[in-house]
Structures are given as structure tokens and as C-alpha cells.
Amino acid sequence: MSECILYKKLDNKKVRCTCCALKCIIPNQETGECGVRKNRNGKLYLEIYGRPTAVAVDPIEKKPLYQFYPKSTAFSIGTFGCNFKCSFCQNWDLSQASKSNDIENLTNVYDLPPKKVIQMCKKKNCKVIAYTYNEPTIFTEYALDCAKLAQKEGIKNVYVSNGYQTVETIELLAPYLDAINIDLKAFTNRFYQELTGVRLSPVLKNIKRWHDLGVWVEVTTLIIPGENDSEEELTNIANYIASINVDIPWHVSAYYDAYKMKGKGRTPLQSLLKAYKLGKEAGLHHIYTGNVQNDKTEITYCPKCNTRLIDRSGYFTKVHSLKNGKCKKCGTPIKGIWSDSCQNLLVPKKVTDPKEIHAILYPEKAKQSINYFEGSTFDRDHQILILYGTQTGKTEQIANQLYQLFIHSERTKKSFDFRIVDLDEYNPENLPLEKNIILLTSTHGEGDPPDNALALFEYLESKNVFQDASLLEGLTYSIFGLGNSSYGGQYQKMSKYFDTKFELLGAERLYQRGEGDEFKNNIQESFKKWFNNLISSLCENLGVKEQINKMPMERSLLKIKYLENEIEIESENENEKEKEKEKEKGNEMELENFSTNKSNKIYDSKNPFQSKLLEKNELMTNGGGRSCLQLKLDLKNSNIKYNCGDHIGILPSNSVHNITKLAKILNVNLDQKIQITPPRRFKKTMTIRECFEKYCEITGPVPNIIFQTLSKYTKDQSEQKRLLEWYHNINKYNEWNNENRYGLIHILEKFPNIQLTLENFLQFVPRIAARYYSISSCPQYDSQSVQVTAQLLENGLCSNYFNDLKINDPINLFWKKTNFKLNNNHPSILIATGTGIAPFRGMLRERLYLKENQIQENFPETFLFFGCRTHQYDFIYEDEFDKYSKHGLITNSFFAFSRDQQNKIYVQHKLKEQKELVQRVMKNKNGQILVCGILKMSLQIKETLSQIFGKKLLKTFIKSNRYNEEIW
């Protein structure tokens, strides 16, 4: 027994082992997964130090190492224990023994301290010490002490390993290890996780690490029938090895039933020969078969002239055409370590300098480093960066909630420093330098990242999970995703993507991914459960470490600087003049280089196009008490080229009436100029008026986390009680919210004792997010404008914004492409309710244009199913759709006016009535269904179509994009 080197102390006498990539957290008096590294009162001990259970002299070829001192003998030692749980282990009696027995009472062990190992090795005239039989990583401290002594005596050290070391272990061993054979058991996480209990990526990155350090590497794959013997998997393994170096030998060995895996039988020779062939096709120079009698595939050939260099039969080895490490026939150097005088043939050269080793294991990966924790009193292990990707602002609200919970939690407020950063303001190149990250993200559109997470997504997409397998080594992370399960296969797509990609690039999961489902209305409930588990994992994994210089209880997310208006305006005017000069220069250059002065700018939510309102028409004029507007917006001088079915994003602003009320509540001057640090989706310098108008969501639905936050700013106990009741009781909050549709401005009016500063308010107020509208016009008729159709809702931000707009008023917008398209050559079923008919108007206007201009005379069968409240008041575009029917653009229409009779009739009822028609259209292999409307309607349509087609067939339509929907 000896105290380990590779571990860290945690609280409550727990320790974290840093020897292998499992990095076990070990409570007092327990062992890690290996069964041999035991925590004794807060210190980690290697129970098997100097106590090997297997000692033998073996030919080096048995390891197998075929291109490392051939024909030499290896003094081989192994112990009990292993960090893997391979169900097919062929040495299970050693590797698994310590997991089922008390390690102190294990018998059949040798007393063999390092000095005695060297003595016996020399006595047996062995050139090499091999740490083998079980996984040597778990007894690294013992092997390290042996290796140091061996090196002084000119004895070589080799590992036969599963390749699951940490960088800390590799850094210790690298100066003393000469060769390693690593088992690459498969090339899928499924295999590794289900059959060995670990992950694939650490093995992949360690093969490259050992190679880059100049340790001679050979790789072995035990081919198991039905598990890892497919052509695809074997090709992937071969390609990966070749991507590191084509001179790395690959051993493909036959499996036989062992331990818990039974009934597979012995691996057929044909499977090994298939792997041999695939390895050659991948460009590998040296592939060897094992556990079978096939002398032809155990030979070392010259990769250039194919001369037989070394013959093998079992462990009998004959070197006959290799001299000084070169082919006798053509003189080609053969990579390997053939003798003490031929070590220069190793590629790359052996690295022994500690600084060089450190540089290889910890490469500088980021181009630019931003210290978000500047001035922090907390060490890096206790700094947590919260990143969020948001499209509508909901994820930002949850991120703010997470921050507030962390800084007020008794378990974390004094032990960790938390910073929150919008992904818009985060450089993904910094990711490899981070220590601890919590990422919150939604999924946008058809499985896309939110706009502000696009840069992170593209950065990760550019990284090869095998070649960059150690990119995020040293980073711990956890992810929470927001989504809506009604979107089927797109649900949580981005949170799953980031979670998987982080892990494959070498990051370590701090706690499992959490999911909040908007459809099930359980975002808050799921988030709270995830947070409670996360905080436990955080304290357990990173250790509670109270700082001497404690951070204040209230840590501000934002800082506001009140500016001297005249000075600032003067300096800004100077800046504007400089910008104008630069602009003029740019215009001159543009005129010189281009025949036209057409803009090539791409607009988005951060850089919208400033359009203007050309027309505004009310579509509900029959006294129904509701309002629906058709807006025509100018696209002149933009480069926007939209198609039918695409979206227009609108950036609305708050009304003068509401921002005046807010200024009164917060007691601020709207004309005061401020500077916000960090900007976090605000403009850095602006007036309070501009801040309230363009950035603060004050009339939309109130996230219930805000009630908890507001409760901290009122001393009135009745107000506090009511606010907390809404926070804790999600059903009461939803019931209240659905009835009233109040925004934050209304809450502040109803709770007059809430005392907020501007800084307090801007920390938690949701940011105004873009609103997306399906385009209801056709570009062929007018490419210089675009039309959207909007139902106005009480207290809706965009509704109020549209209602107040006057002709020629400016309006900020951008275009977003979608895949919601009507194919003019395929039979179709169009299903819509309310304003969901808007995109179909544009699509059918396009058909009308094609027919009027004799571009396309006939169109396939197209059936429209449309529903709204009443025929008289709610059927927008009725005259137009009559016209489309008369022109043969619609084959037939089926209408459902839910309130025109005693028993409500909905679109799904009409679909059931036309079951045979719907089935007939979709029997055509190109038939498609397009659905547009509210979420509730979409779910009912899917349920109805499941009854018509069966769930399996409907899923097939969805997967093949023959069923497509646009819902909100």
C-alpha cells in the first residue's frame, strides 16, 4: 500500500482520482471503479503497490508488439483490478477480482517492490518490462517507480493498455515509457458504453497523444462477431489509425467466448481477413492477425517493395530481410524500434523534455482569450461560466434564473463565482480555455441553433471529433435545453447536439442534460429538478471551497454608467463624422469596383433592414370584434429575395404610453444617456428611452421566475406572499396569466410597493425578441415589397406596435428562409386555421402568376382544409380563394366554421370525413401535406392523421418531409 500521486482532495473526506478518464469521486473507506485505489480518511492509496498477482517472462510478440525489439523477452507483471467492465474480458479472473472481494484479503499476490522487479528482470536477461495482464493505468504509481529504475538500467518499459489515461497520468509516464499497445475495442460509443462501461473519445485521443510524444504505438482490436465486425466499423478504425500515422501497426485478433459474453463463437478467419483488407485500403502499412494460425498475415512486409522482412508463426519470429531497420532489398526505412541503434526510425522522435511534453498535452487552442472572471477571488476550479443561446428570450430568462439561484444558494454563494454571457458576445475560440461551463439553449425553426448560438454551432461543426478528440480536455459542462415536444424529431435537437459534441471533443459532463418541455408546460418544474441535482453534482465534483474574500450577497449582472450628455453627444458626433468619412470612402470604392451600387448585405435580428409601412388593411370588417391586419412592407434598396412560405422577422418596439409609465415607476429620466456593461443584447450606449423602447419586453407574458425576483424587492408581506405563490405554483400562475395576459408593466402597476432601481430592472427584464410572420405575398407580382398577415391580440407587443403604425413609418425587419414549400408538381393537402392560411395565399398567388404568364398551365390535385370561428367574421381572403378555385389552382375546399352551429366543427372533423381522399393523395409517392396554424390545432391534426394512416406511416411522412408544418 502506498499513497497515490494522482488524486485531489474534496470536502467531507472525499477524493477525486485523476489517474484514469473515469475520474472517480471516492467517498471515505471506498475504492474507485478499478477496485484498487482506496480512500482512507481523505487520502487515496494504491492498495496493490508492490503486490502483483501475475509475473512471467513472455516474448515481446505476445503483448502484442511486433515492431518493437523483435525476438526480445519481456518481464511481465500485472495486478488485480481494472477501470473497465468488459463483458468479454479474457483476463477477467484478474481484472474483476478486486470488485467482488475485499482488496486487503486477496490472496496469491507477490511481494515485489520496484527494486526487486528490476533485479528479477536483470536476472532473467529481459530487455523489457511489460505492465500487462490487467490494466496498468490503475497501478500507475507502482509502474512509474519501476519504470524510473528500469530506465537507469537501460531496460525498456511498455504498457499493454485500454488507453484510458488522463493527461496527468500521461505527463508522468511519458519520459519513461518506450512503447504501448492500446486496445481500440470498437469505433462507436454504443459499444464502449454498453460493453465496457466507458466512453470512446478518451481512447481515441490517447492513441494520438502517445504517438505525438514519440512513444512507439501499436493498436489491437478484438473482433467480436455481431458487435464490432461490420465493414463500416472496421473501416472507421483503420481510417482513424491511418489519420494519425499509416506506420502504426494494427493487430486484428480473433475473439472466443469469455466471462459474461457467451454464444458469439470464435471469430471467423474471414472476418480477420476482411479487416486486413480494409486496413490496407485505408493505407495502413502493417496489419497483423492474432489468435489464429495464418502465417501470411503475421508477416512484416516492406511497404514499398513488399519484401518479406520478418516471418512469424505463433511466437516464433525470424528476421531475415531487415538490416539496421531498413529493407535489405530497396533500402526503405521501416518504422519501429528494432534495436538500441535503430531508435531514430521512430516517428515522431521520442519527447523527453518535460516542457515539450507539457506543450503537447496542453496545446494552446484559443486565438483570443477573454477573462470573464477578471478580479475574481475564486480559483479557476470554482469559476462557472453560464452561456445561453436564445431565439425568443425564454432561454435568457432561464439563464438569469439559474444565475440568481446560484448566487443566493447557501451551498454555492460563498464557494463559486458565476458569470453569465450571451452567446452573441462569446468567442467560441475561447471554449478550449474554459474550465466550467453551463450551457442553456433552445432549438429554433427546423432543428437549427438559435441565432445567437450559430457561431458556437459552426465552430463545433468545424471540429473533427476524432482528430480533435482532446480539444475540450479539462472542460466540465452541463446543458439544459428548452423545447416543445410537439415538434417531433426537432425536439431538443440543439441541446442534444451540444451535449454529444462536447463529450466527443473531450469535455467531461458535470451533470446530465436537462430538458424543459413547453408543450407539457413543465419548463419550470424540470428546470428546478435539474438545478437541484446540478448543484449537488457541482459541490461534489468540484468541492465546496469557501473563499476568504467573500463575494457580496448581491452580485450585479449589469453595471450602468450615467453619462454626461453634452460631452458624450459631442464625442459621438465626432465619431459619427469619422464614420461618415469612412462611408464616403467606401462608396467611392464601391462605385469604382462595381457597375451598380446594389447592397450585398445580409440582414438578421442584429442587423435588420429599415423598411417602411406602405399599406395597412383591416381584413375583419364585418363587426366581429376582432382585428386582423394585412401589412405591406417596403423592400426597395434591400437585397432580400424571398420565396413563398418564407418568414419575415419583425423587431417591434414599445409604445410611448407604456415607456412613459415605466419611467414613472422607476423614477428615471427617459432622455438620460447611459452605458451598460456588459452589453448583453443591449446597445452599449443609448438613452433610457431607446433602452425601454427597443430592448425591454414589458407587455408580453411574464415568466414566473420574475415573480420570485420581484418578491425580493418588495417589503410588503402580502405582495411578497402573492408573488411567491405564483412562482411556486405553476398552475396558479398559468391560470392567472391565461385569464389576464398581463405584461411586466401591468405587474409593476399592480404591486406599487416593489422598489426597483434601473440597474435592478435591466438585470431581469426579458429582452424584446423578433416576431416571425409567414409571408402572405408572392414575389413574382412585386419583388419590391412583402406582405404579412397578423392577428391582433390584447396586450400583445407586436399587436400594439402594428396597431400604432402609420403609413411610411419605419419598421425594422429581416428575412428568414424556411423549408415550408408547396411543390407545384406534386399532389397536395393544405390544412390551415385562422391566419395560418396566410402562407397558402402567397403560394397560390404564385400558381396564379405561373398560369397567367403561361409558364405552367396545369397543376396537380390540391385540396384545402380551412377552419376559423365564423364564416361571416373570420374567413379572411375568402374572395381570393374562390378565385384560386375557379382557376383550377385548388381542386376542392373543405371548410370548418366552429361557431356557426351548436356543435363545434373543426378541421380535423373534415379530415375524417374525407379520409379516403386524404389516403388517395398520400398513396402517390410524391403526395405532401402542409399544415399551418396554432400548436393546439397541429396536435389535433397529427392525432387525426395518425388514425387515418397509422402512427408508423405518419412518422415516415414526417421523416421524408412529405408532412411539413408551420406552427406557433
Side-chain angles (χ1 to χ4, degrees):
M1 181 176 72
S2 176
E3 186 177 356
C4 298
I5 301 171
L6 295 158
Y7 81 99
K8 291 180 181 179
K9 293 182 179 181
L10 302 176
D11 61 310
N12 299 323
K13 290 189 177 181
K14 292 180 182 178
V15 298
R16 184 181 188 87
C17 180
T18 59
C19 182
C20 89
L22 287 173
K23 292 187 177 178
C24 298
I25 293 174
I26 308 172
N28 189 22
Q29 301 304 320
E30 294 187 19
T31 64
E33 287 293 327
C34 62
V36 299
R37 301 173 74 84
K38 186 170 184 177
N39 179 354
R40 294 178 176 273
N41 294 316
K43 292 184 178 181
L44 190 64
Y45 287 87
L46 179 60
E47 301 289 303
I48 50 170
Y49 186 95
R51 301 173 68 203
T53 54
V55 179
V57 175
D58 293 327
I60 194 69
E61 285 80 8
K62 189 178 179 181
K63 298 303 107 187
L65 287 167
Y66 277 15
Q67 293 175 217
F68 180 87
Y69 289 94
K71 300 182 68 175
S72 64
T73 55
F75 186 73
S76 304
I77 59 175
T79 70
F80 287 123
C82 187
N83 51 352
F84 279 24
K85 301 174 183 177
C86 302
S87 58
F88 50 87
C89 182
Q90 297 175 338
N91 279 337
W92 62 271
D93 53 332
L94 294 180
S95 68
Q96 304 302 312
S98 61
K99 298 178 183 179
S100 56
N101 297 281
D102 186 343
I103 189 65
E104 295 174 8
N105 297 322
L106 290 173
T107 57
N108 300 321
V109 296
Y110 296 89
D111 180 18
L112 212 60
K115 286 184 180 179
K116 197 170 181 180
V117 170
I118 306 306
Q119 291 170 2
M120 291 186 69
C121 182
K122 292 170 68 176
K123 185 177 180 180
K124 297 292 183 181
N125 293 316
C126 294
K127 181 67 181 174
V128 176
I129 297 177
Y131 308 93
T132 179
Y133 301 135
N134 73 318
E135 177 49 49
T137 302
I138 68 169
F139 60 86
T140 288
E141 288 87 352
Y142 177 40
L144 179 64
D145 289 347
C146 292
K148 287 179 178 179
L149 295 176
Q151 191 179 76
K152 291 178 181 178
E153 298 291 336
I155 298 169
K156 304 302 177 184
N157 295 285
V158 304
Y159 257 36
V160 180
S161 173
N162 57 32
Y164 218 62
Q165 300 86 17
T166 60
V167 283
E168 295 94 331
T169 297
I170 294 174
E171 189 169 16
L172 281 177
L173 285 171
Y176 309 102
L177 202 63
D178 298 285
I180 186 169
N181 185 297
I182 295 179
D183 286 339
L184 180 50
K185 300 176 186 292
F187 210 71
T188 64
N189 264 318
R190 183 218 45 98
F191 181 102
Y192 266 88
Q193 289 171 348
E194 292 180 8
L195 300 183
T196 72
V198 299
R199 297 181 292 131
L200 167 63
S201 60
V203 182
L204 296 177
K205 61 193 174 194
N206 282 345
I207 293 173
K208 188 173 189 307
R209 280 177 177 148
W210 285 116
H211 170 270
D212 291 348
L213 289 166
V215 174
W216 178 251
V217 175
E218 300 192 21
V219 174
T220 297
T221 301
L222 183 70
I223 298 180
I224 305 175
E227 294 292 348
N228 63 351
D229 60 346
S230 70
E231 185 169 324
E232 179 185 8
E233 185 145 6
L234 294 172
T235 299
N236 285 337
I237 294 173
N239 285 338
Y240 179 70
I241 298 170
S243 74
I244 300 173
N245 196 317
V246 293
D247 288 302
I248 294 176
W250 183 30
H251 301 264
V252 288
S253 297
Y255 162 86
Y256 56 84
D257 285 339
Y259 194 34
K260 295 180 180 180
M261 185 178 281
K262 306 293 183 183
K264 294 287 183 182
R266 197 172 183 86
T267 307
L269 176 60
Q270 286 303 116
S271 294
L272 301 184
L273 295 178
K274 177 176 68 174
Y276 186 94
K277 175 176 175 287
L278 294 170
K280 288 294 184 184
E281 289 175 356
L284 293 176
H285 289 162
H286 308 289
I287 306 108
Y288 304 106
T289 58
N291 287 346
V292 293
Q293 288 296 320
N294 189 52
D295 295 349
K296 290 183 180 180
T297 52
E298 292 185 273
I299 297 169
T300 300
Y301 295 93
C302 173
K304 185 174 182 180
C305 68
N306 208 36
T307 297
R308 295 164 68 112
L309 305 177
I310 304 175
D311 283 346
R312 299 180 187 84
S313 180
Y315 298 129
F316 173 78
T317 301
K318 181 180 180 181
V319 181
H320 53 76
S321 296
L322 188 71
K323 185 177 181 180
N324 295 325
K326 297 180 181 179
C327 172
K328 284 184 180 180
K329 184 176 180 180
C330 68
T332 298
I334 309 302
K335 306 306 180 188
I337 302 180
W338 305 108
S339 65
D340 289 347
S341 61
C342 291
Q343 292 198 43
N344 62 327
L345 296 178
L346 171 65
V347 177
K349 185 180 177 182
K350 181 82 163 68
V351 181
T352 56
D353 182 78
K355 290 183 179 179
E356 291 182 29
I357 292 171
H358 190 84
I360 289 171
L361 294 177
Y362 304 92
E364 191 72 17
K365 305 182 187 79
K367 296 179 181 177
Q368 178 187 2
S369 176
I370 297 175
N371 183 10
Y372 293 100
F373 293 90
E374 191 173 354
S376 175
T377 60
F378 293 78
D379 59 40
R380 287 190 72 235
D381 284 344
H382 293 77
Q383 294 174 352
I384 316 291
L385 187 63
I386 301 170
L387 300 173
Y388 63 88
T390 187
Q391 190 71 28
T392 64
K394 290 178 184 176
T395 313
E396 181 186 10
Q397 294 159 17
I398 294 293
N400 286 336
Q401 178 178 356
L402 177 66
Y403 178 86
Q404 293 292 335
L405 289 170
F406 272 139
I407 66 173
H408 289 103
S409 169
E410 292 298 323
R411 299 182 68 184
T412 56
K413 67 184 180 183
K414 296 178 182 178
S415 299
F416 298 92
D417 195 2
F418 301 93
R419 303 294 163 93
I420 184 169
V421 177
D422 185 334
L423 278 173
D424 250 346
E425 297 153 13
Y426 183 76
N427 180 2
E429 296 285 345
N430 291 321
L431 197 60
L433 292 182
E434 305 298 356
K435 187 66 178 173
N436 305 296
I437 278 179
I438 299 172
L439 174 65
L440 300 98
T441 185
S442 58
T443 299
H444 177 57
E446 297 166 2
D448 302 318
D451 287 348
N452 71 324
L454 185 60
L456 176 63
F457 173 78
E458 290 175 343
Y459 171 78
L460 294 173
E461 274 290 272
S462 70
K463 303 302 175 184
N464 185 302
V465 295
F466 303 122
Q467 294 182 357
D468 298 303
S470 61
L471 181 74
L472 302 183
E473 177 76 18
L475 172 69
T476 65
Y477 74 97
S478 188
I479 291 175
F480 186 82
L482 278 72
N484 192 311
S485 58
S486 70
Y487 283 86
Q490 311 304 336
Y491 175 63
Q492 295 289 345
K493 190 171 180 180
M494 276 301 107
S495 68
K496 292 174 183 176
Y497 169 84
F498 287 126
D499 189 34
T500 302
K501 197 78 173 186
F502 274 36
E503 182 183 30
L504 289 175
L505 292 174
E508 180 184 353
R509 193 179 287 106
L510 184 63
Y511 180 66
Q512 68 187 32
R513 182 175 56 86
E515 292 185 359
D517 188 353
E518 188 174 14
F519 172 62
K520 293 181 180 177
N521 206 16
N522 72 353
I523 288 179
Q524 284 296 325
E525 183 182 343
S526 299
F527 171 73
K528 288 175 187 175
K529 184 178 179 180
W530 172 79
F531 170 78
N532 289 332
N533 290 323
L534 171 66
I535 207 169
S536 297
S537 183
L538 192 68
C539 294
E540 186 175 285
N541 279 269
L542 303 183
V544 173
K545 184 177 180 180
E546 188 167 325
Q547 304 299 301
I548 297 173
N549 298 319
K550 300 182 182 69
M551 299 293 284
M553 267 288 291
E554 293 292 335
R555 290 179 237 175
S556 178
L557 291 172
L558 300 171
K559 290 183 179 178
I560 296 175
K561 181 180 179 182
Y562 292 86
L563 304 174
E564 295 287 341
N565 287 344
E566 290 183 6
I567 297 173
E568 289 299 324
I569 289 169
E570 184 179 338
S571 62
E572 284 204 357
N573 285 340
E574 290 176 5
N575 289 334
E576 288 300 321
K577 288 175 183 177
E578 290 298 320
K579 287 179 183 177
E580 284 299 322
K581 288 179 182 178
E582 291 297 321
K583 190 175 178 182
E584 287 173 12
K585 289 179 183 178
N587 288 341
E588 289 171 9
M589 290 175 63
E590 192 173 350
L591 289 171
E592 288 173 9
N593 294 314
F594 300 99
S595 57
T596 61
N597 189 20
K598 190 174 182 178
S599 169
N600 290 310
K601 185 174 181 180
I602 296 175
Y603 300 104
D604 56 26
S605 58
K606 291 174 283 187
N607 302 293
F609 170 68
Q610 190 174 83
S611 175
K612 62 181 178 181
L613 181 64
L614 299 177
E615 294 178 11
K616 181 168 76 170
N617 298 310
E618 175 61 64
L619 298 178
M620 293 181 174
T621 57
N622 294 327
R626 304 170 76 220
S627 177
C628 182
L629 298 178
Q630 180 179 291
L631 307 173
K632 185 176 181 180
L633 310 172
D634 186 24
L635 294 184
K636 201 176 293 182
N637 297 323
S638 80
N639 66 327
I640 294 175
K641 304 291 183 184
Y642 72 89
N643 291 309
C644 296
D646 288 345
H647 289 165
I648 285 294
I650 303 289
L651 292 169
S653 56
N654 286 309
S655 67
V656 174
H657 174 69
N658 281 328
I659 65 175
T660 303
K661 279 200 294 187
L662 182 58
K664 187 176 180 181
I665 291 170
L666 298 180
N667 192 28
V668 293
N669 176 6
L670 287 171
D671 296 319
Q672 170 69 54
K673 190 176 283 288
I674 58 172
Q675 191 176 77
I676 300 176
T677 308
R680 287 191 51 232
R681 301 182 77 207
F682 288 108
K683 184 178 174 182
K684 187 175 181 180
T685 302
M686 58 188 161
T687 63
I688 294 176
R689 183 187 305 280
E690 186 180 2
C691 177
F692 287 175
E693 184 182 87
K694 295 181 179 179
Y695 295 96
C696 299
E697 178 71 84
I698 57 175
T699 59
V702 183
N704 80 328
I705 175 57
I706 286 182
F707 297 130
Q708 184 202 37
T709 305
L710 291 176
S711 70
K712 300 179 186 300
Y713 295 103
T714 178
K715 294 181 180 179
D716 185 291
Q717 290 188 352
S718 63
E719 286 189 353
Q720 192 175 70
K721 183 179 178 182
R722 191 177 174 198
L723 289 165
L724 286 174
E725 184 181 23
W726 283 340
Y727 169 66
H728 290 295
N729 192 327
I730 189 72
N731 292 326
K732 266 197 173 181
Y733 158 67
N734 287 330
E735 181 183 330
W736 172 87
N737 188 45
N738 291 336
E739 281 182 8
N740 297 281
R741 297 187 62 85
Y742 286 146
L744 183 56
I745 185 70
H746 308 109
I747 301 298
L748 294 177
E749 284 182 306
K750 287 182 175 295
F751 291 81
N753 293 304
I754 293 174
Q755 300 296 313
L756 288 170
T757 64
L758 178 62
E759 190 173 81
N760 297 149
F761 176 75
L762 294 182
Q763 281 185 154
F764 67 79
V765 63
R767 311 297 180 262
I768 290 177
R771 270 58 171 178
Y772 293 89
Y773 291 88
S774 295
I775 293 172
S776 57
S777 56
C778 164
Q780 285 88 342
Y781 279 112
D782 184 4
S783 62
Q784 299 299 300
S785 69
V786 66
Q787 295 178 27
V788 296
T789 306
Q791 179 84 47
L792 300 194
L793 303 173
E794 186 180 358
N795 289 333
L797 171 60
C798 224
S799 295
N800 291 334
Y801 175 67
F802 286 155
N803 200 43
D804 292 342
L805 277 178
K806 295 178 177 59
I807 302 302
N808 290 322
D809 275 357
I811 182 167
N812 289 323
L813 59 79
F814 57 96
W815 160 71
K816 196 166 185 67
K817 183 181 179 181
T818 76
N819 293 321
F820 191 71
K821 307 297 178 190
L822 174 64
N823 192 304
N824 289 325
N825 297 306
H826 296 166
S828 305
I829 295 170
L830 313 181
I831 305 170
T833 57
T835 54
I837 203 169
F840 296 145
R841 177 198 185 227
M843 295 169 184
L844 292 167
R845 282 173 66 81
E846 180 183 53
R847 283 191 174 183
L848 185 62
Y849 176 87
L850 295 174
K851 187 161 189 173
E852 288 177 343
N853 290 274
Q854 298 180 347
I855 298 171
Q856 183 172 342
E857 288 291 328
N858 300 308
F859 295 90
E861 283 190 311
T862 301
F863 298 94
L864 173 67
F865 291 81
F866 174 69
C868 57
R869 291 186 178 191
T870 67
H871 183 187
Q872 182 180 1
Y873 299 130
D874 301 282
F875 192 175
I876 59 175
Y877 301 126
E878 180 180 8
D879 293 340
E880 286 193 37
F881 277 83
D882 283 344
K883 180 180 177 181
Y884 303 145
S885 295
K886 288 173 184 176
H887 280 80
L889 309 179
I890 301 175
T891 309
N892 204 351
S893 299
F894 305 95
F895 301 117
F897 304 111
S898 60
R899 301 192 181 186
D900 278 354
Q901 59 282 311
Q902 188 173 358
N903 296 322
K904 292 183 179 178
I905 298 174
Y906 296 108
V907 169
Q908 59 266 30
H909 298 133
K910 294 296 179 180
L911 283 170
K912 286 179 182 178
E913 290 175 6
Q914 301 300 324
K915 175 181 176 179
E916 292 181 2
L917 182 150
V918 174
Q919 289 175 330
R920 176 170 59 78
V921 171
M922 295 305 286
K923 276 183 181 179
N924 184 304
K925 65 179 182 179
N926 294 319
Q928 64 169 345
I929 297 174
L930 297 181
V931 179
C932 189
I934 62 172
L935 173 61
K936 185 178 179 181
M937 176 276 291
S938 165
L939 297 173
Q940 292 167 342
I941 295 300
K942 277 184 181 173
E943 179 60 33
T944 302
L945 293 176
S946 293
Q947 295 169 14
I948 292 174
F949 297 112
K951 289 184 179 179
K952 188 175 180 181
L953 186 55
L954 180 59
K955 283 182 180 179
T956 303
F957 293 154
I958 294 171
K959 193 172 181 180
S960 62
N961 290 320
R962 293 179 61 196
Y963 175 96
N964 212 330
E965 62 184 13
E966 190 70 63
I967 60 176
W968 58 86

